[in-house]
Amino acid sequence: MKFRPLHDRVVVKRIEGEEKTKGGIIIPDTAKEKPQEGEVVAVGPGARDESGKLVPLDLKAGDRVLFGKWSGTEVKLDGTDLLIMKESDIMGVVG
């Protein structure tokens, strides 16, 4: 992928949820909620503070993260569905 996010933006690929419940019930696509977990694909260089200094991001490519249900902008790059969001939309790193 030849895409580099700017400033404090992060590119995330959703990690798909379970196809079945713990009881074995298969969940159809229309009833599934969008996953709120993903893997960071790329990160921007960071944001600038009031004095103009570059503040690097805490995330790196490969991190598994949790984000809000309606966070980010959905895009399709090279046939892959991705989300572009600000680092502040990410709640935390898993693992």
Side-chain angles (χ1 to χ4, degrees):
M1 175 178 71
K2 295 193 180 211
F3 180 81
R4 182 177 53 94
L6 300 176
H7 310 295
D8 63 340
R9 290 198 169 61
V10 179
V11 179
V12 176
K13 180 178 179 184
R14 286 187 196 268
I15 296 173
E16 291 303 319
E18 294 293 320
E19 300 288 323
K20 292 183 185 178
T21 64
K22 289 181 182 176
I25 298 171
I26 296 174
I27 304 168
D29 287 340
T30 55
K32 283 184 193 172
E33 288 193 23
K34 289 185 177 182
Q36 293 175 265
E37 186 174 349
E39 181 180 347
V40 175
V41 176
V43 296
R48 300 222 176 249
D49 63 11
E50 293 83 29
S51 64
K53 277 187 172 178
L54 186 67
V55 179
L57 302 181
D58 292 333
L59 299 170
K60 62 186 179 307
D63 284 347
R64 278 180 77 128
V65 295
L66 293 177
F67 49 87
K69 188 178 278 191
W70 307 110
S71 297
T73 302
E74 294 180 356
V75 295
K76 190 170 215 152
L77 294 172
D78 296 334
T80 305
D81 291 325
L82 301 169
L83 287 168
I84 300 175
M85 63 184 73
K86 288 189 167 260
E87 184 187 37
S88 59
D89 290 340
I90 294 175
M91 294 180 220
V93 179
V94 179

